[in-house]
Structure formats: C-alpha cells, structure tokens
Amino acid sequence: MPVTTEFSIPRMKKSLPTLLATLIGSALYSQQGLADDLASQCMLGVPSYDRPLVQGKTNELPVTIDADKAQGNYPDNAVFTGNVDIQQGNSRLQSDEVQLHQKTVQGQTTPTRTVDALGNVRYDDNQVILKGPKAWSNLNTKDTNVWNGNYQMVGRQGRGDADQMKLRGENRYTILENGTFTSCLPGQNSWSVVGSEVIHDREEQLAEIWNARFKIGPVPVFYSPYLQLPVGDKRRSGFLIPNAKYGSSSGFEFMLPYYWNIAPQADATLTPHYISRRGMQWQNEFRYLTGVGTGLMEFDYMNSDDVYNREHADDKDSNRWLFHWRHSGVYEQNWRFNADYTKVSDPYYFTDLDSTYGSTTDGYVTQKFSVGYAEKNWDATLSTKQFQIFSTNSTRNIYRAEPQFDFNYYKNDIGPFDTHVYAQAVKFTNVNGEYPDATRLHLEPTIGLPLSNRWGSLNTEAKLLATHYEQNDVDYFNSLSQNKDNQLKNSVNRVMPQFKIDGKMVFDRDMNWSPGYTQTLEPRMQYLYIPYRDQSNINAYDSTLLQSDYTGLFRDKTYSGLDRIASANQLTTGVTTRIFDNDLVERFNASIGQIYSFTPARTGLNYTDDDDRGSLVWAGDTYWKISDRWAARGGLQYDTRLDNVSQGNAVLEWRRDADRMVQLNYRYTSEEYIQQTLTQYTNPLYQEGISQVGATASWPIADAWSVVGAWYYDTKANQPADQLVGIQYSSCCYAIRLGYERKITSWEDDSSKYDNKVSFNIELRGLSPSYGLGTGQMLRQGILPYQRAF
C-alpha cells in the first residue's frame, strides 16, 4: 500500500534550491516583445507550471513524501521505493527510489541530511524541469547534483543537457559540466552553445562559459576559450549580434558591436566596421547619465578611405570622422543644459558612409549649445548655433549665432491682462569672411487680454518690436548688390508696433444619422496689423519664409527670425470641423483657411514689394479614420506670392497590426517655395522642386516569413528616388533578414548618382530581446523612412 510521510525540516539559514536551468539564461529574460503569431509557435512544447504557487520560506515549509514502499533505520537513514514523489513548497522530486541519509557530525548540533535519487529522476518547480538517471542533494546546504540529465525552462524557451548539473552557493550558482543550451523547440537543434563548464551566477546575472563552441546543427563554427554572456536585466559587457551588407560603392561590410558596461550611469557600444573597398571604420557610441542630465556621444573614425582618396585626390587629409554630442538636462530644477552638436570631416561623409546622425538630403548639420536658467516668472538662455554646410560653393552665405542671449519675463493676472517681455542680444558671423558680421539687439514687450468660456475665446494682443543692428564690413557686400537701393548700413534702428486679435468658437451637435457620434464646428478669425518698415538696409541673418500650413496661417509672422518682419494688414479666417465617435475617438477632421491682405506685405526688398492684396495664402488639412484599419491624411497650401501650390501631401494607409500594412503617399513642394525657404541650404537633388509618389508595404507571407517594400518615384526628374525590398525569416531558433535598397546619394553631371546596397543580418533567438518579424526596422532604414498615418 502506498506510504505517505510528512515531516518538517528544522529551520535553517539556507534556502531550498529551485534548480533553475542555467545555461545562458538569456532565454529567460530576453523575450519581451514577441510577435503574437510567432510567440504562440515558440511556446509549443514548452511546459507551464500548473500547480498553485506556494509562498513563504522554503525551510519552514513541510516536506511530503509519497511512495509505494518505505523502510528505514530511524534516524540514520530511510529508503523509499516505487513512484516516489517528494514535495516541498513549489519543488517536486520524483524517482524510482530515494535514499535519505542523516548523520550528525561531531561539533555540530544540526544533523546533515542528504538524498540520493535513483532511476527516472525528475525534478521540477515553477522555473525548470530537470531529468536524469541519478541525483544527489544536501538538504542542509541545498547543494544538488544531477548526472547525465537534461533541462527545460518552464514557461520560457531554453533547454539543454549536461554530463553533470550542480547547484552551489545558497542557490546562487548553477554549474554545468559539458553542458549545452539552445532556445530552439524540442526536436530542433538549429543552433546551440556547448561548454566544458558553464557557471550561471544569479546574483550577478551572468553566465560564464569555458571552452565555448557555437554550433549550427551538429557542426561547430566558432570557438572561444572563454565566453561571458549577460543573463537577465542587468547590463553586461559582451559582443552583440553582428550584421553584414554589400553595396555597390562600398563593397562588403561587416559589423561586430561590443557592449561595454562601464558603470551604472555610463555605457558604450564599440563597433569595428569593416568596409572592403574603403577600409576599417571604428564606431564608438558613449551614453551617460549624470546629475546635470543625460547624453550621448558618438565618435566614428576611419584612418584612410581608399575610395575617397581616389575620388578626391586633392584632399591631402585622408582621415574621415564624425563627432556627435547630444545632451539634455536640468540641474537643481532651475538650470537647463542642452547640446546638439554634429561635425564631420568632409562634405561627402554622409554620401559615402551610413550614419543615424545626418543624411545627404539634409545638406547640413547643426552645432548648438545652450545653458539656461528659469524661475517662475522669467527665464534666460545663453546659446551658440553654427552649421556645417555640405555645399562646396565658395560664395555660400551662412551665418552663425555666437553667442545669443534670450530673456523672457512673464507677469500674468495684472487685472485682466497678461504681460510678456522678450529680449535678445546676438552676434552673427559668416562662414565666408567677405560677408558682413552683425550685432543685433531686440526688445519686445507684449500685453494681452485673454477672454474665454466653454464655447469660445477672444485674445487681444499688442506688442512693440524694437531692434538695433550694428553691421560691420558691409562695403564688399554692397558692391555685389545689383540693386543700389538695397544697400546695407552700419547702424540701423527699426521700431514697429504690432496688434493682433484672435477669436475662436466651438459648436457641437449630435449626429442623428450616426447615434453616439458628435460633430464640432470651430470657426476662427484673426486680424493682424504690422506697419511697414523698410528693411532693405538690413541683411538676412536668420530669416527664411515659414511654411504656411493651416496652423501656420494664424502665426503673427511670415518669416523666421527677426531680420524680416513683413508689414501686415490682414484678416485670417478658417474653420475646422471634427467628428468624434461614442468613445470620443476623433474619426474625421477638416480645416480650411486663408489670409486676406488689405495692403501688400512688404519688407522693402524687391521680392516682397509686389502689390499682393486680396487672398494671399490658402491652406487646408484633413484627416479621416475610415475604420480601425483604414485612414487617410492630406494637406495643401497655395501661396499667391509664389503664384503656385507651394506644398501638398496625401497619405492613404491600411494597417492591421505592426507587421501588416500598406501605404500610398504623395508629396509635393514647388521649386519657388524651396528657393524662398531654403536659400542657404538648397540641395541639388531638389533644385527643380519635389514631386514624389510612393508606396510602402509590409506583410507576413507565411507564419515565419515577412516581406517589406518601399518605392518612391520622382515625377519631376522622371526617375526613382528610393527603392527598398526586404525579406525576413523568423523562427524560435534564429532570424535571417535580407534587404536590398537603391537610393540616390548625390548629384553629378546633372544626373543622380545611385548606390545599390544588399544587407544581411542573422539573429539568434534567446540571445536578443527582439522576437518580432523585423518589418519596422527594415522600413526605417530607407532614405525616406516610413511614418505612420494613424
């Protein structure tokens, strides 16, 4: 008849072992973000813990032993045979036979208890299942051995076997002798890691492997006498997943990133990047967190670029490098520190080499530093701003602000009025030494009267714009001017008032034809008056024409900066309608507005002195969430000053989830608009304007296969702008991604220069946190990265 024995172990300082399968526990902690379908497949054959979890200290929990037969010589030993089942807390040991030994060592008050399990040994708890023919355990120290066994993680991927599994150090260390690990499902061994000895340190969340061999199937492909892998959430130094690609201009590329955990508040990624046709590039990214903020530094260096040396033999400096620093922080709640600095060795750097810190299409990089201090009613900022322009034009006209001081003072609730004073002092210098420098002082007091209730608002505002310029070395610049009436002066004062009144109303109604839906109607009207002041004797240091989308119609300025303040006697009108469903989700909106000018907007310069009256600018935006999977978005701006449609865009997207979507889009920018707004940074790729139609799609074609594609065609140049296709195979063991991209990198001899690139990535599952299908990453690598419509 079956025998059931229950007894309690005396309280001890040690804790019961939960024989966690050890090796490379990255399978334990690195499976966040599984794609739904793949996640369900990966859990096939993975056991789950189906017993109620027991809480409490293990040593204080009773031990229950069931067996067909029991015999013993109490208190020295006992033997249990036949379907032996031992349980304590969440742990369970099953075997054909279990021998319990108890011995009192001289000098010790607590006897030493050990257990030998023989025949079909199975140990399981809420984290691991261990199987083997033989096992031993010390119930006092919790040291445990299992011989010739295999293990399987519970509720997670990860399995393997070992000649011997040992638990030591109060359940801190698990040691495998000749152990293996793979995250593949049972019956599949696409890859595995084998080590003569593997030590898993739970406290440090680290796995150390001696004589490590990485196998693809049964074939060893990599050997290292010592390998260290992170296990868990703790950051650990070590190599990351390598990747490779091939391009028509750079040839074969291979990257092997190394993660360096420097300190709890600092780490780095060091990446040797081999480029067959160019040379070796070293990419170094450093991240930090300090008491004054968080930041990132990147320094990429290539000692010599063979392709660049051939194409630019006149450049004697063959070193190519990039430095980027981004910092943002607050110190003691008042101080603000910010940096956004990027500099490269030459104008062709982003054309030849891939980087996330700049691109050929931008035409420049920014170098900006600022430090600020803020209190409740005021703030002050000291900054410098420079640009590195990639144009090789020797007559380029680019200004730097070094330094610039900005001050704001706010005082609200002075009776019904709000007040604001803005002041600025800035020194401008030009990258071209023959162009004038300037010092600009500006003072802008403002008083406003805000009125509002639940259905509308009316804001009245008056301000005074007072600016003083000291312009140096203007003679050369004046000699270049074809219009002798537009001559810079050394000292200029400009004072102009501004008055604005802005009113909004919101009406809503229930939609009878769609119960639960609500429609709003939001008319808006703004009157703006700024008198004319001749600014032909002032150079444009930081002013460009602003974009006039629907929101931009209601700005109080036409240009950025302060050098160009166009006169205004205009009325801006607009209306927006929105539709909300019964969950208050916005399903539709549409806006349309115009600027009606009673007098021409002038600055005194020829290109703004046209007699522009009447409807000056029209703009409209719309968004329609057709269903939970369909949405459309679009916008259009027409500028009568440029006498054309300045900008337009339209997007139609179907999206089921993160991996299934199709998007059609179109974007347009007129040549005249680019010349007006980007006079300093005109990119030769878009000298004739932009008119591009495109399509982007992502779709899993089978359970483990996914495809993405992107295609953009320039209708003005009658040529493709960007073409991308990628395919990825994902399984529980590994993922392989293959991509192809053909994109414009530069402009030569009045034609586009293309680069064709093939990329290849392999990812071992269980050693990486990503288990998705990889579609988002493939779409983001295009020259025109995918942006969601909703």
Side-chain angles (χ1 to χ4, degrees), residues 565-601:
I565 302 178
S567 63
N569 182 15
Q570 65 188 39
L571 181 67
T572 304
T573 56
V575 62
T576 298
T577 183
R578 309 176 196 272
I579 296 177
F580 297 89
D581 64 17
N582 49 12
D583 294 323
L584 297 181
V585 175
E586 188 174 13
R587 289 288 179 173
F588 176 82
N589 69 57
S591 303
I592 187 170
Q594 67 157 340
I595 296 176
Y596 187 93
S597 182
F598 300 103
T599 58

Side-chain angles (χ1 to χ4, degrees), residues 453-472:
N453 58 25
R454 65 182 185 85
W455 52 264
S457 64
L458 182 67
N459 296 316
T460 305
E461 180 184 273
K463 64 174 62 175
L464 184 69
L465 309 171
T467 315
H468 173 74
Y469 288 86
E470 287 293 333
Q471 302 177 117
N472 305 317

Side-chain angles (χ1 to χ4, degrees), residues 11 49 53 163 215 254 260 269 317 338 407 425 450 459 466 493 545 555 609 641 708 715 717 728 752 784:
R11 184 173 180 177
Y49 187 75
L53 283 174
D163 290 348
K215 292 183 176 182
F254 179 78
W260 181 18
T269 303
D317 188 359
N338 290 278
F407 176 82
N459 296 316
N493 291 315
L545 192 65
R555 294 192 190 99
D609 282 343
R641 293 166 297 184
V708 301
T715 60
Q728 173 163 309
S752 300
L784 299 171

Side-chain angles (χ1 to χ4, degrees), residues 122-288:
R122 174 189 167 99
Y123 171 88
D124 69 86
D125 58 21
N126 59 319
Q127 293 178 311
V128 70
I129 297 174
L130 292 172
K131 295 180 180 180
K134 180 180 179 182
W136 169 89
S137 181
N138 185 318
L139 300 180
N140 298 72
T141 63
K142 309 310 174 187
D143 291 350
T144 303
N145 295 349
V146 177
W147 284 267
N148 299 318
N150 60 74
Y151 63 92
Q152 168 71 61
M153 314 298 280
V154 173
R156 303 174 185 271
Q157 288 177 242
R159 62 183 180 85
D161 54 53
D163 290 348
Q164 187 177 19
M165 305 177 191
K166 297 186 288 188
L167 189 71
R168 297 293 186 267
E170 302 179 30
N171 202 26
R172 173 175 175 177
Y173 302 101
T174 301
I175 304 170
L176 301 181
E177 301 291 346
N178 294 323
T180 69
F181 170 81
T182 181
S183 65
C184 298
L185 296 179
Q188 302 176 11
N189 291 298
S190 299
W191 71 269
S192 61
V193 177
V194 180
S196 61
E197 184 176 51
V198 179
I199 298 179
H200 175 199
D201 187 337
R202 288 177 178 79
E203 184 175 313
E204 292 297 322
Q205 299 183 6
L206 177 69
E208 297 177 289
I209 307 173
W210 280 264
N211 295 313
R213 288 96 68 199
F214 175 74
K215 292 183 176 182
I216 296 180
V219 181
V221 296
F222 174 80
Y223 171 81
S224 175
Y226 176 78
L227 190 62
Q228 190 179 92
L229 295 174
V231 177
D233 298 327
K234 256 189 178 181
R235 299 179 307 173
R236 283 292 169 188
S237 300
F239 285 101
L240 305 179
I241 300 299
N243 58 79
K245 54 188 174 182
Y246 180 86
S248 57
S249 62
S250 296
F252 176 73
E253 300 181 49
F254 179 78
M255 289 142 282
L256 181 61
Y258 180 83
Y259 176 77
W260 181 18
N261 181 35
I262 303 172
Q265 292 81 30
D267 61 14
T269 303
L270 312 177
T271 306
H273 182 180
Y274 171 74
I275 308 174
S276 63
R277 295 182 183 173
R278 297 184 182 275
M280 179 66 76
Q281 181 190 42
W282 298 93
Q283 299 175 341
N284 310 282
E285 184 179 78
F286 170 69
R287 296 164 294 272
Y288 62 89

Side-chain angles (χ1 to χ4, degrees), residues 21 42 54 104 140 170 200 223 277 292 336 395 430 498 714:
C42 292
V54 179
T104 301
N140 298 72
E170 302 179 30
H200 175 199
Y223 171 81
R277 295 182 183 173
V292 293
R336 273 76 169 154
T395 62
N430 200 295
Q498 175 182 304
D714 193 320

Side-chain angles (χ1 to χ4, degrees), residues 20 50 100 122 129 136 147 157 173 206 237 280 303-304 332 340 393 398 400 408 607 640 695 706 730 740 747:
L20 270 171
D50 54 7
L100 176 64
R122 174 189 167 99
I129 297 174
W136 169 89
W147 284 267
Q157 288 177 242
Y173 302 101
L206 177 69
S237 300
M280 179 66 76
N303 184 55
S304 180
E332 292 187 348
D340 185 5
N393 188 349
I398 308 300
R400 303 166 293 207
N408 290 282
Y607 58 84
T640 60
S706 60
S730 299
Y740 169 79
W747 186 271

